[in-house]
Every structure is written in structure tokens, then in C-alpha cells.
Amino acid sequence: MTEQKKTDLYSLDYGELLEFVKSIGESAFRAKQIAAWLPLGVGIDGMTNLSKTLREKLKATTLDTLPRVKEKLVSKLDGTVKYLFELHDGEFIESVFMRYKHGNTLCISSQVGCRMGCRFCASTIGGRVRDLYPSELLGQIITAQRDTGERVSNIVMMGIGEPLDNYDNVVKFLRLVNREDGLNIGYRHISLSTCGVVPKIRALAECELPITLSISLHAATDERRSEIMPVNKKWNIDELLTACRDYYSHTGRRISFEYTLISGKNDTEQDARTLAALLHKYLDPVKAPIHVNLIRVNEVAETGFKEGSTTSANNFAAMLESLGITATVRRRLGADVNAACGQLRHTRR
Ligand code: SAH
């Protein structure tokens, strides 16, 4: 059996698992047994209530897509763990495990590489290699839980890749990760961040998944945004914010906006005023609460963008607050292991 013909077990929903189990001549209750093992990530050999013959059969017919820990860096500053995972075909991705008071959060990758080309971001430097399967999205969580021995209670899809550029697999993953007999992570504990793939924001609104959507905005005028984010040339700010407004009207779910502060490019008080006016213009008519997450740009050797001071970030936040917008300056975790926003890569250095 060739690799392509093998079944990607961890990507199956329960109905598909049932079909698969029948297709290899086994009875339905085996599906239930297998489903119970999958979130534990023990591998087929670890599924000890299955007969040896069945385990051999499964090994011959399924693909082992669980990411393997290739390297692990632990931040001395805050205990954040950055994983370099190796995938079944030899590609690499990174995930970041962060401990907060409210629980552990895993920042997961959605693609090997990225084709969006944002100028400040390391993940896009080599382009996109391939999309991740639902099993590999789940697998990052399963492997991290096994490795740390701790439960992941929150997921942020803010690692390498553009989740909405891998839409079908991401939506399937969201449904799988939420299953009670699976990883059982509530939709409200999941954030998905996008650079602004407008048609997929609209599609997501129809899915009725109460996750938190984050929009990487980073500039308040088309001229400035197109300069740093090529995706803006395809879907401009008007199209993007109109989609956000409609998303809120349809789902009632708050959207948050990410704004990376780059010294001398988008971080003056005037920029804050322009940003506030823009968000009010689109979101006030539907009475959507507005929240901006400010990120001080993290250094990426190739880009040369400079971060401003903490004071200027706080001033920017204060200006937004005074204009009726809640703003937080994102804490930087794992900076000493290059695990901060925009520093993840799919190749080893
Ligand atoms: N492709 C998605 C997911 C990546 S999320 C998206 O664009 O939203 C990672 C977040 O970190 C995004 O808001 C991204 O714009 C931001 N980011 C990228 N590079 C950065 C850098 N060098 N410093 C700070 N934030 C950065």
C-alpha cells in the first residue's frame, strides 16, 4: 500500500472512522475503542485493548501523522516552550506552549510556511510548502500534552501559516478538537488569527463556530497596509472591515484586531487616531465592541523593522482608550527562544 492510499486516522470524524473500521473488516465497536485512544497520542502500539492482529492491520493501512518533537527550547524568562516538530514527510513546523493563570495555551501552526508575504514576519520568508492536515493540527496539541504532561485548555491559531488559506482542513480540525470524546476544547477557548482572507471570513461566519476571530490589521490606511501586507492589494481595508462588520452582525461574536507597532511606520499618536476613526466607522453601526491587541514588533533578522519603546506602545494604547477603544499591549513570551509573534519558521537555523 502506498503512502497516499493509507488512511490518515487522526483526521477522521466519527462517521468516517466507522466507515474505515468496516472497510478493513472489523466490527463497529472497534471504532469506539480507537476513538478513545486517538487524543492520547499513544500510537497504534499503545492501543492495548486491540488485538495484536488488529494493531498490525492498522499499522499497514494508516498513516502516522502525529508530529514528533525534534527540538524543544524552554525560555529562561517565562518557561514558554517552543517546539520544533517534524512531520511524517520530513517537513518542520513550530508550536509554542505558554502557561497563563487561566490555563495552558498552545499557539499552533496551520501550514508549512506561508505565502502571504507580510514584510515583518519570519514565517513567510521561504513561501508556502504545504497545508497541514486536520490530524497535524490536532497532533500539535496531542504531542505537546504528552510531552508536558499538562492539559492544553486554549488554542491560538497564530503560528506559522495563514489558517484561512487552509480553510477546509482548519474547519474540520475545529470541529474535531471540540468533540467531547476528543480533546474537548471549547470553541470559546480557541482564537483564529487571519491576515484578511475576506471570502473565508465570510464563509466562517456561516459555520456557526463560536471561536474568537482576530484580524491582523497593522495599518489604518490602504497605502500603508499594502506596503507591509501584500494581501491588502487583493482585499483592501474597506472589504476587510465590511466583512468584519457582517461577521459580527451574523454571529454576535466579538472580533479583535491585532496591530503590530513598527517604529516610525505606524506608531504615532496620529496613527492611533486614524485607527480609532476607522474602526468606529465600520463597527459602531452594528454596535460591535472594539478591541485592539497591540504587539511591539519582534525582531526578525531579515526584515530590519525596529520596535519602538514600551512608553510609545503605552501612549498608543492610551490614545485608543481615550477614543473609546479597549486596547492591550500583548505580553511578549519566549523572546529568548525566538518564540514570539512573527518569529516562527518552518526551517531550522
Ligand atoms: N497568518 C495569520 C496567523 C499568524 S498570527 C495572521 O496573519 O494573522 C501571528 C500574529 O503575529 C499576526 O498578527 C502577525 O501579523 C503578527 N506578527 C507577524 N510578524 C510579527 C513580528 N515580527 N512582530 C510582531 N508581530 C508579528
Side-chain angles (χ1 to χ4, degrees), residues 80-118:
T80 295
V81 185
K82 180 167 87 164
Y83 287 106
L84 178 71
F85 285 133
E86 183 168 8
L87 305 177
H88 70 100
D89 59 353
E91 296 294 346
F92 293 99
I93 50 165
E94 294 185 320
S95 310
V96 182
F97 181 92
M98 295 163 282
R99 290 190 183 82
Y100 291 101
K101 278 196 212 84
H102 59 266
N104 298 320
T105 295
L106 193 71
C107 174
I108 66 171
S109 294
S110 54
Q111 296 177 312
V112 179
C114 182
R115 59 174 175 169
M116 294 297 145
C118 297

Side-chain angles (χ1 to χ4, degrees), residues 107-108 110-111 114 116 118-123 157-164 192-196 214-218 229 258-262 295-300 303 305 330 332 340-343:
C107 174
I108 66 171
S110 54
Q111 296 177 312
C114 182
M116 294 297 145
C118 297
R119 285 194 39 218
F120 39 81
C121 182
S123 301
M157 304 196 75
M158 299 191 180
I160 299 166
E162 167 49 50
L164 297 188
L192 183 153
S193 178
T194 176
C195 64
S214 288
I215 304 290
S216 294
L217 192 59
H218 305 323
M229 299 180 71
E258 291 154 286
Y259 191 97
T260 294
L261 293 165
I262 306 171
I295 317 172
R296 287 165 59 213
V297 75
N298 293 304
E299 204 180 297
V300 172
T303 68
F305 286 141
R330 186 178 287 173
R332 182 176 292 172
C341 300
Q343 292 186 315

Side-chain angles (χ1 to χ4, degrees), residues 176-235:
L176 289 172
V177 78
N178 181 246
R179 283 174 54 116
E180 244 168 65
D181 61 350
L183 289 169
N184 195 15
I185 300 180
Y187 289 125
R188 288 184 164 71
H189 296 266
I190 304 176
S191 295
L192 183 153
S193 178
T194 176
C195 64
V197 181
V198 167
K200 301 298 181 192
I201 294 175
R202 294 192 172 281
L204 195 62
E206 302 297 327
C207 285
E208 314 280 333
L209 300 171
I211 58 168
T212 300
L213 186 61
S214 288
I215 304 290
S216 294
L217 192 59
H218 305 323
T221 65
D222 279 321
E223 193 190 355
R224 194 63 62 82
R225 192 164 191 268
S226 295
E227 217 179 274
I228 53 175
M229 299 180 71
V231 67
N232 197 66
K233 295 180 191 147
K234 191 142 188 188
W235 298 288

Side-chain angles (χ1 to χ4, degrees), residues 88-339:
H88 70 100
D89 59 353
E91 296 294 346
F92 293 99
I93 50 165
E94 294 185 320
S95 310
V96 182
F97 181 92
M98 295 163 282
R99 290 190 183 82
Y100 291 101
K101 278 196 212 84
H102 59 266
N104 298 320
T105 295
L106 193 71
C107 174
I108 66 171
S109 294
S110 54
Q111 296 177 312
V112 179
C114 182
R115 59 174 175 169
M116 294 297 145
C118 297
R119 285 194 39 218
F120 39 81
C121 182
S123 301
T124 195
I125 288 171
R128 182 190 66 167
V129 180
R130 71 168 174 87
D131 290 336
L132 295 185
Y133 312 147
S135 58
E136 293 169 318
L137 298 164
L138 283 170
Q140 295 171 63
I141 306 162
I142 294 172
T143 304
Q145 288 194 154
R146 253 178 92 71
D147 184 71
T148 55
E150 293 177 46
R151 177 175 146 79
V152 169
S153 52
N154 298 273
I155 306 168
V156 293
M157 304 196 75
M158 299 191 180
I160 299 166
E162 167 49 50
L164 297 188
D165 190 36
N166 182 17
Y167 182 80
D168 292 341
N169 288 341
V170 163
V171 168
K172 187 160 191 201
F173 155 73
L174 292 170
R175 297 193 196 281
L176 289 172
V177 78
N178 181 246
R179 283 174 54 116
E180 244 168 65
D181 61 350
L183 289 169
N184 195 15
I185 300 180
Y187 289 125
R188 288 184 164 71
H189 296 266
I190 304 176
S191 295
L192 183 153
S193 178
T194 176
C195 64
V197 181
V198 167
K200 301 298 181 192
I201 294 175
R202 294 192 172 281
L204 195 62
E206 302 297 327
C207 285
E208 314 280 333
L209 300 171
I211 58 168
T212 300
L213 186 61
S214 288
I215 304 290
S216 294
L217 192 59
H218 305 323
T221 65
D222 279 321
E223 193 190 355
R224 194 63 62 82
R225 192 164 191 268
S226 295
E227 217 179 274
I228 53 175
M229 299 180 71
V231 67
N232 197 66
K233 295 180 191 147
K234 191 142 188 188
W235 298 288
N236 65 18
I237 292 181
D238 176 57
E239 291 166 287
L240 177 57
L241 292 183
T242 305
C244 291
R245 183 197 66 198
D246 296 347
Y247 183 94
Y248 181 79
S249 310
H250 192 81
T251 65
R253 296 287 301 159
R254 184 190 79 146
I255 293 181
S256 70
F257 294 90
E258 291 154 286
Y259 191 97
T260 294
L261 293 165
I262 306 171
S263 182
K265 275 234 177 275
N266 64 359
D267 67 341
T268 64
E269 290 199 351
Q270 184 50 47
D271 291 318
R273 277 190 217 103
T274 311
L275 175 62
L278 179 73
L279 293 175
H280 280 307
K281 174 177 159 202
Y282 284 89
L283 298 170
D284 287 357
V286 293
K287 299 195 171 58
I290 310 176
H291 181 84
V292 175
N293 224 314
L294 297 168
I295 317 172
R296 287 165 59 213
V297 75
N298 293 304
E299 204 180 297
V300 172
E302 292 86 337
T303 68
F305 286 141
K306 292 266 172 297
E307 63 169 305
S309 63
T310 327
T311 321
S312 87
N314 291 338
N315 288 346
F316 198 96
M319 178 57 84
L320 290 179
E321 294 271 352
S322 76
L323 296 167
I325 289 178
T326 63
T328 43
V329 181
R330 186 178 287 173
R331 252 175 74 208
R332 182 176 292 172
L333 293 177
D336 56 334
V337 290
N338 278 344

